[in-house]
Amino acid sequence: MNDAASSLPVVIVGGGFSGAMLAARLAERGQASALIERGDAFGLGVAYSATLDAHRLNVRTERMSALAERPGDFADWLKAHHPDRADPNGFAPRRLYGLYVRARLDSVEAAHPGLIQRANGEAVAVEGQTVALSDGRRIQGRAVVLATGNPAPRNTPTGQNPRILSNPWAPGALDHIQPGDALLILGSGLTMVDVVLGLQAQGWRGAATAVSRRGLTPRAHGQHHDAPAPLPPEALTGVLSARLASARRLAREHGWRQVMEGYRPITAELWRKATAQERARFLRHLRPWWDVHRHRIAPEIAAALDALIAEGRLSVIAGRVAATKASPDAVSLSLRSPRGAPQTLTAQWVIDCTGPGHDVTTTPLTAALIAEGRARLDPLKLGLDLDEAGRVRHADGTPDQDLYVLGPPARAALWETIAVPDIRQRIEALTDVLTA
C-alpha cells in the first residue's frame, strides 16, 4: 500500500455488524475507514437492534466472538457485564450481543483515535472510490465496501391496506396489534419465530396461522454442541442426488445435526465449486430443507414454539397465496394447497415474515452500478456477481479492484454469509486484502 492510498479511508456502506466489525479490524491494522450508517445505531443493524429477551441468538455464546483469535471474547464480555447470561453453551438475547458489538467498536475507536470516521446518512451512489450521500456530502476513499446487511421483505407491495404489514422490523410496525387479534403470517422461518414470540412477550394472546410453500419450521439445536460428522468423498463430490443420498445415510448413522456441522465450515467452498446448474438444482429442490436444518433455533425457543402449537395458538400450513382481500377490519387470504382443496383464511392482520428481499436490481445504489456496467448479476440472479475475494465483477466479468461486498449481500458468491462465524471469517480475509 503506498502512502497516498493509505492516507485515504476505506469507505464502508452499512454500519451493522459486518461494517462495524470490518472498520474495527481495519483500525487495528492501521487502516482508516469511513463507516456510513443510515441511522445512529452503529454496530447493531436489524438483527441486534432487538430489545426483547425473546429474540435470541441462533448460535451458541461460545461461537459468537467477533474476534477470530479470541474465540471466548463474547463469553468473557458477558461474564464481566451480564454474568447471569454468561453460559458458553447458551443462546444469549440478541440485544446483549448488540451491546457487545458496540462496546468493541467503541473500544477500538478509543485505542486507535482518528481511524474510524462515523457518518450518519444514506448512501445513494458509488462513483469510483467515492460514495455520495443523500444530503450532498461526498466521502472519498481508497476502496468501497458494500456491507448493507439484510433488506426488508419484498413479497407484499407497500401502500396496501394498513392491515397488511409488509415489514415487521419497521419501527412501530406491530404496535397496533391487539392482545386477542388473529394473525396470518407469510413465511414459517426464523422471522416468523421472532415475530410470534416477540408479540407473545408483549402480551399478545391471540392465534396465528403461518403459511409457507412447504410448511417447514426451523429445527432446534441440541442441548450441547454437536461434533461434526466425518464426510466421505461421496458426500462432497459428484452429482447432487448422490451427495444427498450420502448425507441422508450419514444422518441415520450419526444424526442430522452432526452432518450439518460437518458441512458448515466447507459450505462456501462447495458453493464456489458448484456449477450454475448445480446451484439452481439446490435452490429449486433442497434449499427449504437446508435452511431449516442449517439455521437452527435455541432449544428453549423451540420449546416455546411447540407450546404455542400444542395450545392451538399457532398453526403452520403449506400453501401459496392465490388472492388477498382486505377490509378496514380484517384481511382474507385464498390459499392453494399442494395437497387438498383451496381454502380461505381470515384474520385481523397479515404479516410478511418471508425474510430478506434481496433484489439488487431495485435497490438504487446497486441498480445504478449494474446500469453503468460496473456490476452485474450472478447467473441465478441471487445478487451481485463477485470473485473469491468479494470484489464486484464488471459486466464483462473483470473484478473491480476498488469495490467489495461483505455480509449477507455476498450470498450469490458465498451462499453462507449471514451468521457471525461466517462473516467473521470474511472480515479477516477482506482485511488482509485491503491492507495488503
Side-chain angles (χ1 to χ4, degrees):
M1 184 192 310
N2 61 51
D3 291 340
S6 62
S7 65
L8 292 172
V10 171
V11 184
I12 304 170
V13 181
F17 174 84
S18 299
M21 294 300 91
L22 175 62
R25 207 59 174 145
L26 288 172
E28 290 172 332
R29 299 276 285 271
Q31 170 61 55
S33 66
L35 187 60
I36 301 171
E37 169 60 27
R38 185 181 302 176
D40 59 359
F42 286 88
L44 301 185
V46 173
Y48 308 125
S49 296
T51 58
L52 301 173
D53 283 357
H55 293 153
R56 299 292 185 89
L57 295 171
N58 296 321
V59 178
R60 299 180 196 276
T61 293
E62 64 186 0
R63 306 181 73 181
M64 286 293 288
S65 171
L67 296 166
E69 73 275 17
R70 296 212 306 264
D73 193 59
F74 178 47
D76 291 342
W77 183 88
L78 284 176
K79 286 179 185 177
H81 300 280
H82 300 275
D84 58 322
R85 296 287 190 179
D87 178 11
N89 191 56
F91 299 83
R94 293 208 299 263
R95 67 175 182 84
L96 295 185
Y97 194 73
L99 295 178
Y100 162 70
V101 173
R102 298 192 83 168
R104 167 158 165 73
L105 182 63
D106 291 344
S107 67
V108 172
E109 280 187 290
H112 303 276
L115 288 186
I116 301 177
Q117 170 195 348
R118 301 193 192 199
N120 290 106
E122 182 177 4
V124 294
V126 179
E127 302 164 356
Q129 298 167 310
T130 298
V131 175
L133 305 185
S134 59
D135 60 8
R137 284 178 293 163
R138 297 170 61 81
I139 301 178
Q140 183 183 3
R142 55 176 295 266
V144 176
V145 179
L146 303 181
T148 49
N150 279 318
R154 296 178 185 270
N155 287 327
T156 54
T158 57
Q160 288 196 32
N161 186 289
R163 289 191 174 273
I164 300 176
L165 307 177
S166 61
N167 179 10
W169 302 125
L174 308 179
D175 287 354
H176 296 294
I177 295 176
Q178 298 301 305
D181 284 351
L183 311 176
L184 290 173
I185 299 178
L186 305 180
S188 59
L190 295 174
T191 305
M192 180 276 290
V193 175
D194 278 347
V195 166
V196 168
L197 295 185
L199 288 170
Q200 167 92 350
Q202 297 179 90
W204 170 76
R205 294 295 179 266
T209 300
V211 181
S212 64
R213 290 188 178 183
R214 292 172 178 83
L216 300 173
T217 57
R219 282 17 179 193
H221 283 278
Q223 291 301 318
H224 300 279
H225 175 63
D226 295 288
L231 302 180
E234 60 267 24
L236 303 173
T237 59
V239 296
L240 199 57
S241 57
R243 289 194 232 177
L244 177 59
S246 177
R248 285 173 170 164
R249 177 181 57 78
L250 288 169
R252 290 191 295 270
E253 295 174 357
H254 300 278
W256 64 264
R257 292 186 183 91
Q258 288 90 331
V259 173
M260 295 307 293
E261 285 302 310
Y263 277 110
R264 184 190 62 77
I266 58 173
T267 299
E269 179 186 357
L270 292 176
W271 183 260
R272 281 196 298 266
K273 291 180 178 178
T275 66
Q277 291 76 16
E278 288 172 330
R279 293 181 182 184
R281 289 190 66 200
F282 171 85
L283 295 172
R284 188 165 57 249
H285 299 296
L286 295 180
R287 179 183 178 180
W289 284 270
W290 173 273
D291 283 348
V292 298
H293 289 86
R294 171 69 177 89
H295 304 293
R296 304 190 285 277
I297 54 179
E300 57 267 37
I301 296 300
L305 211 63
D306 289 342
L308 288 175
I309 293 173
E311 294 168 10
R313 293 185 51 213
L314 175 63
S315 301
V316 181
I317 62 175
R320 297 189 183 192
V321 177
T324 304
K325 183 178 180 181
S327 69
D329 302 317
V331 185
S332 296
L333 297 181
S334 297
L335 303 179
R336 289 195 299 265
S337 173
R339 291 178 294 275
Q343 58 180 316
T344 299
L345 302 176
T346 301
Q348 275 74 52
W349 305 93
V350 169
I351 308 174
D352 187 344
C353 293
T354 53
H358 291 279
D359 186 355
V360 294
T361 63
T362 59
T363 302
L365 193 67
T366 49
L369 292 170
I370 295 171
E372 69 186 53
R374 191 175 179 186
R376 70 180 187 183
L377 284 173
D378 81 294
L380 299 181
K381 297 181 172 55
L382 290 173
L384 295 180
D385 194 13
L386 313 175
D387 73 359
E388 291 188 4
R391 298 181 183 92
V392 172
R393 291 189 184 275
H394 295 172
D396 63 3
T398 305
D400 192 309
Q401 301 301 314
D402 302 320
L403 183 59
Y404 300 79
V405 175
L406 174 66
R411 66 181 192 146
L414 302 170
W415 186 241
E416 294 287 357
T417 182
I418 58 174
V420 164
D422 305 311
I423 297 174
R424 182 179 63 212
Q425 182 179 0
R426 294 305 308 164
I427 287 173
E428 292 298 317
L430 186 52
T431 299
D432 287 343
V433 171
L434 292 171
T435 58

